[in-house]
Amino acid sequence: IFLRSGNLVELYAHEADLNSRIRTINQNIKNAKDLEQQVQEVELLVEQIEARLFDREQRAININFFYDLEDRMEVRIANISQMPSEDSTYAKGGPRELKLHSTIAYNMSLNGKFDEILRFMYELYRVEPLIRVADFQIATANLNSNEGELEARLRLVVLAEKANP
């Protein structure tokens, strides 16, 4: 015992390391319960998200989506344009870089009453594609418009399929 006492500190450290590994393995065993079912649920969610993505190459279809919303709501889209590149926040190297998807940014001007504009923005939140209102400005409309009508400028970010490099 006396001859091996020099290894005692090292052996205690090794024992503590092995006990830590055992606790980690036991915790992983507990966390792995129903793992297959959870993986299937995640794969289903991924499929649902992919079904909601815009395709960057289908510019006319994408813009017509917003005009279809206009037909259902009581606002008038004065101008809408798709930006040539994705939103820098979500682009490569951005603070919220997306690995699996890209984004399409739109600038939109629309006219309507305040509550109509708010309903339109709520509808953007509710629709199938994943749309984020990144910027919102509102001002009184020009002199030729109806009483109480406002002009809103929106910057929209829509989740899209990954752009080809």
Side-chain angles (χ1 to χ4, degrees):
I1 292 174
F2 178 73
L3 294 174
R4 293 189 181 188
S5 65
N7 294 338
L8 198 57
V9 173
E10 182 182 326
L11 291 173
Y12 279 137
H14 186 63
E15 179 187 22
D17 182 47
L18 290 175
N19 285 332
S20 174
R21 286 175 140 178
I22 288 171
R23 282 191 299 275
T24 302
I25 290 170
N26 287 336
Q27 188 63 40
N28 286 343
I29 290 170
K30 289 178 187 175
N31 291 340
K33 183 180 179 192
D34 300 327
L35 190 59
E36 268 187 48
Q37 179 185 356
Q38 292 173 2
V39 167
Q40 290 173 352
E41 290 173 6
V42 168
E43 287 174 347
L44 180 64
L45 290 172
V46 168
E47 287 176 17
Q48 289 174 353
I49 288 173
E50 288 177 350
R52 300 169 73 177
L53 299 177
F54 268 32
D55 183 352
R56 179 176 304 282
E57 304 301 320
Q58 297 179 346
R59 293 173 62 98
I61 293 172
N62 296 344
I63 288 177
N64 279 337
F65 169 82
F66 294 107
Y67 282 118
D68 289 341
L69 274 180
E70 175 196 44
D71 290 341
R72 290 186 290 164
M73 309 305 287
E74 297 177 11
V75 296
R76 288 173 313 289
I77 296 177
N79 184 6
I80 184 168
S81 58
Q82 180 176 325
M83 300 294 99
S85 61
E86 65 180 303
D87 189 284
S88 59
T89 304
Y90 303 102
K92 185 173 184 174
R96 296 183 183 152
E97 178 182 349
L98 296 175
K99 305 256 189 251
L100 300 177
H101 303 96
S102 68
T103 58
I104 304 173
Y106 291 92
N107 286 332
M108 178 188 297
S109 297
L110 58 108
N111 297 319
K113 295 189 177 179
F114 184 72
D115 59 332
E116 295 166 348
I117 293 171
L118 287 180
R119 268 196 300 271
F120 181 80
M121 289 174 44
Y122 180 70
E123 190 65 20
L124 289 174
Y125 162 76
R126 288 187 53 238
V127 293
E128 275 294 308
L130 300 168
I131 300 174
R132 176 176 174 254
V133 177
D135 189 26
F136 171 65
Q137 297 175 2
I138 196 163
T140 57
N142 59 23
L143 299 173
N144 299 335
S145 63
N146 296 334
E147 181 77 25
E149 193 164 274
L150 301 170
E151 179 182 355
R153 287 185 213 103
L154 308 173
R155 188 170 66 80
L156 306 173
V157 178
V158 181
L159 194 64
E161 295 175 0
K162 188 72 173 173
N164 294 328

